[in-house]
Amino acid sequence: MPRSEARVTTDRPARYAKQLAAHMGRKVEATFSEETGRGTLVFGAGTATLEARTDALLLTVEGERENLPGLEDVVGRHLVRFGARDELVIEWRRDNGEAGLVHRNDDPEA
């Protein structure tokens, strides 16, 4: 299955993964384990996995090639909003070598 990955540098990866899973869980199936630092989001168009490491949150979305931009967008857009104070940047890289979407908070009011 086609996939896209992003490594988000942060000193609070588990916090952001938990927050993202809780928020998205209102609309899609979502899980996050504080014990393992891993979570999943299940969308109609594909899935996302979250993995909290010591200094980064690793994100992976998988779905049909035409669905990757939408999956990157929904995961990246929400995470950037939560991490506005920490100025999180999400740069997706697709498994075929293409650059994916880039998310950063460009709102000076955030």
Side-chain angles (χ1 to χ4, degrees), residues 6-23:
R7 183 179 193 282
V8 183
T9 303
T10 175
D11 59 354
R12 300 187 284 182
R15 175 184 177 270
Y16 286 122
K18 180 180 178 180
Q19 187 176 10
L20 184 61
H23 176 76

PDB file of all heavy atoms in Angstrom, residues 6-23:
ATOM      1  N   ALA A   6       6.484  11.218   7.934  1.00  0.00           N
ATOM      2  CA  ALA A   6       7.012  12.495   8.415  1.00  0.00           C
ATOM      3  C   ALA A   6       7.628  12.275   9.790  1.00  0.00           C
ATOM      4  O   ALA A   6       7.106  11.507  10.597  1.00  0.00           O
ATOM      5  CB  ALA A   6       5.913  13.543   8.494  1.00  0.00           C
ATOM      6  N   ARG A   7       8.734  12.955  10.033  1.00  0.00           N
ATOM      7  CA  ARG A   7       9.384  12.934  11.345  1.00  0.00           C
ATOM      8  C   ARG A   7       9.275  14.347  11.899  1.00  0.00           C
ATOM      9  O   ARG A   7       9.840  15.290  11.337  1.00  0.00           O
ATOM     10  CB  ARG A   7      10.855  12.533  11.202  1.00  0.00           C
ATOM     11  CG  ARG A   7      11.575  12.412  12.519  1.00  0.00           C
ATOM     12  CD  ARG A   7      13.031  11.985  12.289  1.00  0.00           C
ATOM     13  NE  ARG A   7      13.657  11.563  13.516  1.00  0.00           N
ATOM     14  CZ  ARG A   7      14.120  12.398  14.457  1.00  0.00           C
ATOM     15  NH1 ARG A   7      14.013  13.706  14.277  1.00  0.00           N
ATOM     16  NH2 ARG A   7      14.675  11.925  15.544  1.00  0.00           N
ATOM     17  N   VAL A   8       8.531  14.481  12.995  1.00  0.00           N
ATOM     18  CA  VAL A   8       8.260  15.793  13.579  1.00  0.00           C
ATOM     19  C   VAL A   8       9.102  15.939  14.839  1.00  0.00           C
ATOM     20  O   VAL A   8       8.847  15.280  15.853  1.00  0.00           O
ATOM     21  CB  VAL A   8       6.761  15.949  13.911  1.00  0.00           C
ATOM     22  CG1 VAL A   8       6.482  17.349  14.444  1.00  0.00           C
ATOM     23  CG2 VAL A   8       5.902  15.632  12.702  1.00  0.00           C
ATOM     24  N   THR A   9      10.108  16.793  14.775  1.00  0.00           N
ATOM     25  CA  THR A   9      10.985  17.002  15.918  1.00  0.00           C
ATOM     26  C   THR A   9      10.245  17.788  16.994  1.00  0.00           C
ATOM     27  O   THR A   9       9.707  18.861  16.735  1.00  0.00           O
ATOM     28  CB  THR A   9      12.258  17.760  15.488  1.00  0.00           C
ATOM     29  OG1 THR A   9      12.899  17.011  14.456  1.00  0.00           O
ATOM     30  CG2 THR A   9      13.209  17.947  16.647  1.00  0.00           C
ATOM     31  N   THR A  10      10.227  17.218  18.212  1.00  0.00           N
ATOM     32  CA  THR A  10       9.572  17.864  19.352  1.00  0.00           C
ATOM     33  C   THR A  10      10.060  17.201  20.626  1.00  0.00           C
ATOM     34  O   THR A  10      10.421  16.022  20.618  1.00  0.00           O
ATOM     35  CB  THR A  10       8.036  17.766  19.275  1.00  0.00           C
ATOM     36  OG1 THR A  10       7.463  18.312  20.475  1.00  0.00           O
ATOM     37  CG2 THR A  10       7.558  16.336  19.101  1.00  0.00           C
ATOM     38  N   ASP A  11      10.055  17.951  21.708  1.00  0.00           N
ATOM     39  CA  ASP A  11      10.420  17.358  22.991  1.00  0.00           C
ATOM     40  C   ASP A  11       9.195  16.792  23.708  1.00  0.00           C
ATOM     41  O   ASP A  11       9.295  16.303  24.823  1.00  0.00           O
ATOM     42  CB  ASP A  11      11.171  18.365  23.877  1.00  0.00           C
ATOM     43  CG  ASP A  11      10.372  19.617  24.178  1.00  0.00           C
ATOM     44  OD1 ASP A  11       9.273  19.782  23.618  1.00  0.00           O
ATOM     45  OD2 ASP A  11      10.853  20.449  24.977  1.00  0.00           O
ATOM     46  N   ARG A  12       8.031  16.837  23.042  1.00  0.00           N
ATOM     47  CA  ARG A  12       6.797  16.304  23.632  1.00  0.00           C
ATOM     48  C   ARG A  12       6.037  15.405  22.650  1.00  0.00           C
ATOM     49  O   ARG A  12       4.849  15.615  22.387  1.00  0.00           O
ATOM     50  CB  ARG A  12       5.905  17.451  24.083  1.00  0.00           C
ATOM     51  CG  ARG A  12       6.592  18.332  25.116  1.00  0.00           C
ATOM     52  CD  ARG A  12       5.694  19.356  25.686  1.00  0.00           C
ATOM     53  NE  ARG A  12       5.481  20.448  24.738  1.00  0.00           N
ATOM     54  CZ  ARG A  12       4.758  21.512  25.000  1.00  0.00           C
ATOM     55  NH1 ARG A  12       4.148  21.623  26.150  1.00  0.00           N
ATOM     56  NH2 ARG A  12       4.617  22.459  24.111  1.00  0.00           N
ATOM     57  N   PRO A  13       6.682  14.409  22.081  1.00  0.00           N
ATOM     58  CA  PRO A  13       6.012  13.594  21.062  1.00  0.00           C
ATOM     59  C   PRO A  13       4.803  12.820  21.583  1.00  0.00           C
ATOM     60  O   PRO A  13       3.783  12.750  20.900  1.00  0.00           O
ATOM     61  CB  PRO A  13       7.114  12.656  20.575  1.00  0.00           C
ATOM     62  CG  PRO A  13       8.113  12.617  21.671  1.00  0.00           C
ATOM     63  CD  PRO A  13       8.051  13.962  22.332  1.00  0.00           C
ATOM     64  N   ALA A  14       4.894  12.245  22.775  1.00  0.00           N
ATOM     65  CA  ALA A  14       3.769  11.460  23.298  1.00  0.00           C
ATOM     66  C   ALA A  14       2.568  12.355  23.570  1.00  0.00           C
ATOM     67  O   ALA A  14       1.423  11.969  23.314  1.00  0.00           O
ATOM     68  CB  ALA A  14       4.179  10.703  24.559  1.00  0.00           C
ATOM     69  N   ARG A  15       2.819  13.549  24.060  1.00  0.00           N
ATOM     70  CA  ARG A  15       1.729  14.483  24.332  1.00  0.00           C
ATOM     71  C   ARG A  15       0.968  14.811  23.054  1.00  0.00           C
ATOM     72  O   ARG A  15      -0.255  14.805  23.014  1.00  0.00           O
ATOM     73  CB  ARG A  15       2.280  15.772  24.952  1.00  0.00           C
ATOM     74  CG  ARG A  15       1.234  16.842  25.156  1.00  0.00           C
ATOM     75  CD  ARG A  15       1.894  18.130  25.674  1.00  0.00           C
ATOM     76  NE  ARG A  15       0.932  19.185  25.815  1.00  0.00           N
ATOM     77  CZ  ARG A  15       0.634  20.056  24.851  1.00  0.00           C
ATOM     78  NH1 ARG A  15       1.219  19.966  23.679  1.00  0.00           N
ATOM     79  NH2 ARG A  15      -0.252  21.010  25.057  1.00  0.00           N
ATOM     80  N   TYR A  16       1.703  15.096  21.987  1.00  0.00           N
ATOM     81  CA  TYR A  16       1.046  15.443  20.728  1.00  0.00           C
ATOM     82  C   TYR A  16       0.335  14.247  20.108  1.00  0.00           C
ATOM     83  O   TYR A  16      -0.753  14.388  19.554  1.00  0.00           O
ATOM     84  CB  TYR A  16       2.044  16.050  19.742  1.00  0.00           C
ATOM     85  CG  TYR A  16       2.417  17.462  20.112  1.00  0.00           C
ATOM     86  CD1 TYR A  16       3.730  17.817  20.335  1.00  0.00           C
ATOM     87  CD2 TYR A  16       1.431  18.438  20.254  1.00  0.00           C
ATOM     88  CE1 TYR A  16       4.072  19.118  20.683  1.00  0.00           C
ATOM     89  CE2 TYR A  16       1.763  19.742  20.605  1.00  0.00           C
ATOM     90  CZ  TYR A  16       3.083  20.079  20.820  1.00  0.00           C
ATOM     91  OH  TYR A  16       3.409  21.365  21.168  1.00  0.00           O
ATOM     92  N   ALA A  17       0.923  13.064  20.197  1.00  0.00           N
ATOM     93  CA  ALA A  17       0.272  11.869  19.660  1.00  0.00           C
ATOM     94  C   ALA A  17      -1.030  11.602  20.403  1.00  0.00           C
ATOM     95  O   ALA A  17      -2.064  11.309  19.786  1.00  0.00           O
ATOM     96  CB  ALA A  17       1.198  10.664  19.761  1.00  0.00           C
ATOM     97  N   LYS A  18      -0.982  11.706  21.711  1.00  0.00           N
ATOM     98  CA  LYS A  18      -2.187  11.477  22.530  1.00  0.00           C
ATOM     99  C   LYS A  18      -3.266  12.505  22.197  1.00  0.00           C
ATOM    100  O   LYS A  18      -4.437  12.167  22.036  1.00  0.00           O
ATOM    101  CB  LYS A  18      -1.816  11.547  24.011  1.00  0.00           C
ATOM    102  CG  LYS A  18      -2.981  11.330  24.936  1.00  0.00           C
ATOM    103  CD  LYS A  18      -2.540  11.419  26.386  1.00  0.00           C
ATOM    104  CE  LYS A  18      -3.723  11.256  27.318  1.00  0.00           C
ATOM    105  NZ  LYS A  18      -3.302  11.350  28.730  1.00  0.00           N
ATOM    106  N   GLN A  19      -2.880  13.755  22.077  1.00  0.00           N
ATOM    107  CA  GLN A  19      -3.825  14.825  21.767  1.00  0.00           C
ATOM    108  C   GLN A  19      -4.440  14.625  20.381  1.00  0.00           C
ATOM    109  O   GLN A  19      -5.645  14.795  20.193  1.00  0.00           O
ATOM    110  CB  GLN A  19      -3.130  16.175  21.861  1.00  0.00           C
ATOM    111  CG  GLN A  19      -4.059  17.355  21.719  1.00  0.00           C
ATOM    112  CD  GLN A  19      -3.334  18.684  21.925  1.00  0.00           C
ATOM    113  OE1 GLN A  19      -2.107  18.750  21.990  1.00  0.00           O
ATOM    114  NE2 GLN A  19      -4.101  19.751  22.005  1.00  0.00           N
ATOM    115  N   LEU A  20      -3.626  14.256  19.415  1.00  0.00           N
ATOM    116  CA  LEU A  20      -4.120  14.033  18.064  1.00  0.00           C
ATOM    117  C   LEU A  20      -5.100  12.863  18.032  1.00  0.00           C
ATOM    118  O   LEU A  20      -6.174  12.961  17.440  1.00  0.00           O
ATOM    119  CB  LEU A  20      -2.952  13.777  17.109  1.00  0.00           C
ATOM    120  CG  LEU A  20      -3.290  13.613  15.632  1.00  0.00           C
ATOM    121  CD1 LEU A  20      -3.955  14.866  15.066  1.00  0.00           C
ATOM    122  CD2 LEU A  20      -2.030  13.276  14.835  1.00  0.00           C
ATOM    123  N   ALA A  21      -4.764  11.764  18.698  1.00  0.00           N
ATOM    124  CA  ALA A  21      -5.655  10.601  18.740  1.00  0.00           C
ATOM    125  C   ALA A  21      -6.970  10.942  19.442  1.00  0.00           C
ATOM    126  O   ALA A  21      -8.046  10.557  18.974  1.00  0.00           O
ATOM    127  CB  ALA A  21      -4.970   9.425  19.425  1.00  0.00           C
ATOM    128  N   ALA A  22      -6.901  11.673  20.538  1.00  0.00           N
ATOM    129  CA  ALA A  22      -8.122  12.042  21.261  1.00  0.00           C
ATOM    130  C   ALA A  22      -9.012  12.937  20.406  1.00  0.00           C
ATOM    131  O   ALA A  22     -10.231  12.746  20.338  1.00  0.00           O
ATOM    132  CB  ALA A  22      -7.764  12.736  22.574  1.00  0.00           C
ATOM    133  N   HIS A  23      -8.401  13.903  19.754  1.00  0.00           N
ATOM    134  CA  HIS A  23      -9.168  14.824  18.916  1.00  0.00           C
ATOM    135  C   HIS A  23      -9.792  14.105  17.717  1.00  0.00           C
ATOM    136  O   HIS A  23     -10.986  14.242  17.448  1.00  0.00           O
ATOM    137  CB  HIS A  23      -8.270  15.962  18.433  1.00  0.00           C
ATOM    138  CG  HIS A  23      -8.953  16.901  17.504  1.00  0.00           C
ATOM    139  ND1 HIS A  23      -9.851  17.850  17.937  1.00  0.00           N
ATOM    140  CD2 HIS A  23      -8.886  17.031  16.155  1.00  0.00           C
ATOM    141  CE1 HIS A  23     -10.309  18.519  16.890  1.00  0.00           C
ATOM    142  NE2 HIS A  23      -9.727  18.044  15.793  1.00  0.00           N
TER     143      HIS A  23
END
